[in-house]
Amino acid sequence: MKILQINNYNTTNGGANIYYNELCKLLKQKAEVLQCYAGSPGSFSSSSDYILRELNISSPSMDALRYFYRPNARKDFREYLVRNRPDLAHVHIFQGQVSWSLLQELKSLEIPIVQTLHDLKVVCPTGYAIRNNEFCTSCLMSSKNCIQFTCNRGKILRSIHSAIDFQIGRYFDYPEIVNHFICVSNYQKKIVSKIIDVDRSTVIHNFSKTVSAAQSSERLLDEDYLLYPTRLVEKKGVEELIQIYKADQSKILPRVVIAGDGEFRKRFEDSVIKSSLSDRIYFWGHSTGQELSKLYLDCICVLNLSQLNETFGLTSIEAFSHGRPIIVSKNGALPEIVDNYDKGLVISNFDNIIAVKDEIIDYLSKISMNSNALYLTQHHYDHFSPENHLGKLFEVYKKVIYS
């Protein structure tokens, strides 16, 4: 079986990109894998990969138009597909770099398409399906509301951009162009069923490797701490975290380490300094691989206080794989993964920050790392292991290829 994996980037920042990279590595054990993504010249990982020039969409240039459609790339992509002819294309996030043009070429050559939905862009121009902190799918068939309410970060140009891309997708017969969708949670499937027939989608939770739950021999930090792995962008819960620590005037909560980077990092760092919390909230920076694994293993508990409509929450299963519980918000699919007290704590409401602080302190006082660790790693192996994931994925592949 020859599978073409398509994603905007081949990097390790963000849950979707991490999943894409890990999936490609995993699939190569069982099938021939081709990859398509945007990158810089010389970034080829294999001679059989198709690498697009990475667009600079932040500057006013023709690249801003190529965000929607890349005619030259489509022509080159056709030659690539004819030469390599995959049995199936598995698409991930493509808007903005890969663009609609490449999906049109897959359709033209009648190559079956499976897409893993890492967000909610099939029903919402921004991908979050949230407006003024309330669930929203008012753009289901028309994206004018995205512009009217400036749904993309409150910026009119960003919102127009998102709305145009959404309508172009409808023009190109999306989501009908895709043969089958993979939803990463039951929560997500319920939302997208508003536009995708339930028999055209399958729920397959994300995966990660199971590691030993024992504490690592050489600790990166000498003190106990909570770990918050996240992108430093708006509404990922960092603002709420700062408010919780400001409310903890008795300094009962352990130090928190934020592992991640992003465009809002300086804003958050300034807020921490202004709140006199520099000794309690530490910005570690972007972390991957063994270093990140050590941070998970040595922490007491993991945090994900995202205020977004999260479709899965990869940090939850990463926490389980290291034998650590996680404290999450009630948003999106997070409670679906953290569905009992042994796995973690779900914060249902952030209106009363002092109450949230007390709830977290109470939970941390009751958990036992040693007794929970074996349960969590076993739970991870049973439900989120690479082997479990691959078996379900191949069922979808075969169903689409041979139907």
Side-chain angles (χ1 to χ4, degrees):
M1 189 182 294
K2 186 186 289 188
I3 308 297
L4 172 61
Q5 293 286 331
I6 300 175
N7 191 50
N8 271 346
Y9 300 105
N10 191 34
T11 58
T12 56
N13 58 321
N17 293 333
I18 292 171
Y19 172 82
Y20 168 76
N21 273 281
E22 291 302 317
L23 178 61
C24 288
K25 294 175 188 175
L26 185 63
L27 278 172
K28 286 175 182 177
Q29 302 172 15
K30 302 287 184 180
E32 183 178 353
V33 178
L34 308 173
Q35 290 181 246
C36 168
Y37 53 89
S40 57
S43 65
F44 298 85
S45 61
S46 167
S47 58
S48 61
D49 290 350
Y50 182 76
I51 318 295
L52 297 97
R53 178 181 67 83
E54 185 174 346
L55 299 177
N56 179 14
I57 58 177
S58 61
S59 64
S61 67
M62 285 301 293
D63 276 0
L65 295 178
R66 295 187 184 103
Y67 176 101
F68 305 112
Y69 199 85
R70 304 179 69 167
N72 291 337
R74 177 173 178 175
K75 179 183 176 182
D76 294 340
F77 190 52
R78 182 180 183 87
E79 295 176 2
Y80 171 82
L81 291 175
V82 170
R83 187 168 65 251
N84 291 281
R85 191 69 196 192
D87 296 307
L88 177 143
H90 185 169
V91 179
H92 299 271
I93 296 178
F94 64 90
Q95 295 99 324
Q97 291 290 343
V98 172
S99 84
W100 296 102
S101 55
L102 271 62
L103 264 68
Q104 287 297 297
E105 201 51 53
L106 291 168
K107 178 183 178 181
S108 174
L109 293 176
E110 298 183 340
I111 295 172
I113 303 173
V114 168
Q115 184 184 5
T116 292
L117 297 172
H118 296 281
D119 51 34
L120 295 169
K121 280 191 175 179
V122 71
V123 297
C124 170
T126 67
Y128 296 123
I130 194 167
R131 189 178 81 215
N132 297 327
N133 296 320
E134 297 290 336
F135 178 74
C136 172
T137 55
S138 62
C139 288
L140 205 55
M141 299 310 296
S142 173
S143 56
K144 64 181 181 181
N145 290 301
C146 181
I147 300 172
Q148 180 181 349
F149 297 102
T150 58
C151 292
N152 193 334
R153 306 186 193 182
K155 307 292 185 182
I156 185 64
L157 289 180
R158 281 183 174 272
S159 300
I160 291 172
H161 208 255
S162 296
I164 291 173
D165 190 62
F166 190 79
Q167 289 305 123
I168 289 174
R170 294 293 183 262
Y171 175 78
F172 285 135
D173 203 28
Y174 181 80
E176 285 74 19
I177 191 176
V178 176
N179 298 77
H180 200 85
F181 290 91
I182 293 172
C183 297
V184 296
S185 63
N186 291 299
Y187 171 82
Q188 184 188 49
K189 177 166 177 144
K190 182 179 179 181
I191 294 175
V192 303
S193 65
K194 295 176 182 291
I195 196 169
I196 299 170
D197 292 339
V198 291
D199 59 351
R200 287 183 58 219
S201 67
T202 300
V203 175
I204 305 179
H205 289 139
N206 287 339
F207 73 93
S208 65
K209 298 176 183 176
T210 304
V211 300
S212 169
Q215 206 171 57
S216 54
S217 55
E218 292 185 18
R219 301 192 63 178
L220 296 175
L221 295 168
D222 292 332
E223 60 190 306
D224 290 335
Y225 62 90
L226 306 178
L227 178 66
Y228 200 148
T230 186
R231 286 184 296 119
L232 296 179
V233 295
E234 199 173 23
K235 294 188 180 298
K236 274 292 188 177
V238 180
E239 298 98 329
E240 286 71 22
L241 176 76
I242 294 170
Q243 292 304 313
I244 290 167
Y245 270 73
K246 282 176 68 175
D248 183 31
Q249 296 184 1
S250 299
K251 298 187 177 182
I252 300 173
L253 286 168
R255 187 184 193 190
V256 62
V257 173
I258 300 177
D261 213 335
E263 60 186 285
F264 277 53
R265 177 169 178 169
K266 188 175 187 311
R267 178 187 295 188
F268 293 147
E269 287 178 331
D270 289 346
S271 179
V272 165
I273 293 170
K274 185 178 179 181
S275 303
S276 301
L277 293 171
S278 299
D279 61 332
R280 308 196 62 211
I281 299 177
Y282 177 69
F283 292 87
W284 184 276
H286 181 61
S287 183
T288 59
Q290 187 177 9
E291 179 187 82
L292 182 58
S293 185
K294 277 180 172 288
L295 287 172
Y296 270 103
L297 283 170
D298 291 343
C299 76
I300 302 171
C301 184
V302 180
L303 301 173
N304 184 350
L305 308 180
S306 175
Q307 301 301 297
L308 297 173
N309 237 340
E310 297 289 351
T311 52
F312 183 72
L314 192 62
T315 54
S316 294
I317 65 169
E318 288 284 8
F320 298 162
S321 75
H322 291 82
R324 299 295 176 258
I326 184 166
I327 298 171
V328 301
S329 69
K330 67 174 178 57
N331 296 309
L334 296 177
E336 179 180 325
I337 309 303
V338 186
D339 58 1
N340 68 45
Y341 205 68
D342 289 325
K343 297 172 189 172
L345 174 68
V346 178
I347 305 296
S348 58
N349 194 311
F350 284 82
D351 291 342
N352 186 336
I353 289 294
I354 293 177
V356 172
K357 179 260 298 181
D358 291 340
E359 192 175 4
I360 292 174
I361 290 172
D362 181 64
Y363 177 75
L364 293 175
S365 71
K366 293 176 180 177
I367 62 172
S368 168
M369 282 204 308
N370 293 331
S371 61
N372 262 29
L374 291 177
Y375 163 75
L376 289 170
T377 52
Q378 185 61 50
H379 173 71
H380 176 273
Y381 179 80
D382 292 341
H383 298 279
F384 306 110
S385 68
E387 296 80 10
N388 185 292
H389 186 87
L390 203 57
K392 294 177 180 178
L393 191 60
F394 270 108
E395 288 179 15
V396 172
Y397 285 172
K398 290 173 183 176
K399 176 182 178 181
V400 172
I401 291 172
Y402 300 117
S403 61

